[in-house]
Amino acid sequence: MSKTEWGKKCMSVHKHIAGQQEAWIFANPVDTVTLGLHDYHTIITRPMDIGTVKKNMESGVITSPDMFIDDMKLVFQNAMKYNHEDHEVHVWAKKLFFMIENKWDKESAAILKKFSGGEGGRGVAAPSTGKRLAEEPHDETAPFTFDEKRDLCASINKLPGKQLVRALSLIHEMAPKVVMQKGDDPDEIEIDLDKLETATLRHLDRMVREAHSKKKKRA
């Protein structure tokens, strides 16, 4: 077990997710040979599983909270990417992805405070994260209003290249039929936000606002 305070708190988040009923299927590396998944490593370039995250925390391979949460999310992002949205593994992965998102939103301020307080050399400063968390909606299940969808759409359109690709990739992973080509121009696309679930919209909104916040800081 990680001996640092931030590491212990990260492992508490890990334990919460690993203890979920659906988590067993993500506990170990995907056995592509036994399952006959011959195209898995072509589609998934960086495999990850819950057990490997724990091992990397214990061995010191993971050296920051950012690395921890990125790898935890990757477990479920990979599963959603490889499996069709109607497949039960995709459904379970999607549930756990949003569960860890919500758990991290609640715990990250304290974790990053421990990390930036002398136990690590790099990471997001706790005050800025606290400010971002304070701006989060209290009710994650509250449906998006028309104005919120309009503002989100405008914010997505203003994202720089890499962040825009990331946002579109997330939308495509969660709901492939939402992103559509507009007309004959392959560079013109439409996003039907009305077809996205509330949890997906909330996550997308957080990601877009965080990207714009980082852009302002760099400026």
Side-chain angles (χ1 to χ4, degrees):
M1 183 67 67
S2 177
K3 296 180 181 179
T4 62
E5 287 301 315
W6 70 265
K8 291 177 182 178
K9 289 184 178 295
C10 283
M11 288 309 300
S12 176
V13 174
H14 180 282
K15 183 178 180 180
H16 174 74
I17 298 300
Q20 299 302 313
Q21 184 177 356
E22 302 87 354
W24 65 271
I25 200 167
F26 309 106
N28 300 295
V30 175
D31 188 344
T32 58
V33 176
T34 300
L35 296 174
L37 307 178
H38 307 299
D39 61 345
Y40 186 82
H41 292 289
T42 301
I43 298 172
I44 304 300
T45 57
R46 186 170 176 257
M48 187 55 61
D49 62 275
I50 294 175
T52 296
V53 175
K54 180 179 180 180
K55 179 182 176 181
N56 288 344
M57 283 292 293
E58 293 174 342
S59 64
V61 172
I62 294 177
T63 58
S64 74
D66 287 341
M67 290 179 66
F68 166 77
I69 192 60
D70 285 348
D71 279 359
M72 283 296 289
K73 289 180 182 179
L74 183 62
V75 175
F76 310 118
Q77 288 170 331
N78 283 346
M80 288 186 288
K81 182 177 182 180
Y82 186 78
N83 297 280
H84 189 270
E85 60 181 337
D86 294 331
H87 196 285
E88 63 180 357
V89 174
H90 183 111
V91 174
W92 294 347
K94 188 174 182 179
K95 175 184 176 181
L96 294 176
F97 179 84
F98 287 123
M99 186 174 290
I100 195 169
E101 274 280 301
N102 291 332
K103 182 70 172 176
W104 192 250
D105 278 347
K106 296 175 183 177
E107 304 288 343
S108 60
I111 293 173
L112 291 169
K113 184 176 181 180
K114 291 290 183 181
F115 180 70
S116 62
E119 293 183 359
R122 59 187 181 85
V124 181
S128 62
T129 303
K131 181 179 180 182
R132 181 175 64 84
L133 291 175
E135 296 170 353
E136 296 293 338
H138 293 292
D139 186 0
E140 285 288 307
T141 63
F144 252 55
T145 65
F146 174 81
D147 288 341
E148 283 180 311
K149 289 179 182 178
R150 180 193 60 197
D151 292 344
L152 176 56
C153 188
S155 295
I156 292 174
N157 288 330
K158 293 177 182 177
L159 285 173
K162 289 184 179 180
Q163 283 82 3
L164 179 59
V165 170
R166 182 186 172 199
L168 293 176
S169 296
L170 172 67
I171 296 172
H172 183 72
E173 287 176 8
M174 299 299 184
K177 297 178 181 179
V178 169
V179 181
M180 301 169 289
Q181 182 177 324
K182 184 178 180 181
D184 297 326
D185 189 345
D187 293 328
E188 290 290 326
I189 61 171
E190 283 185 329
I191 304 172
D192 189 354
L193 295 182
D194 290 329
K195 292 182 180 179
L196 288 176
E197 296 177 358
T198 296
T200 303
L201 285 169
R202 292 291 176 200
H203 172 63
L204 182 62
D205 186 54
R206 285 195 297 268
M207 188 183 77
V208 171
R209 286 191 285 114
E210 184 174 342
H212 282 299
S213 176
K214 290 180 179 178
K215 182 181 177 182
K216 288 179 180 177
K217 288 179 180 179
R218 287 195 297 267

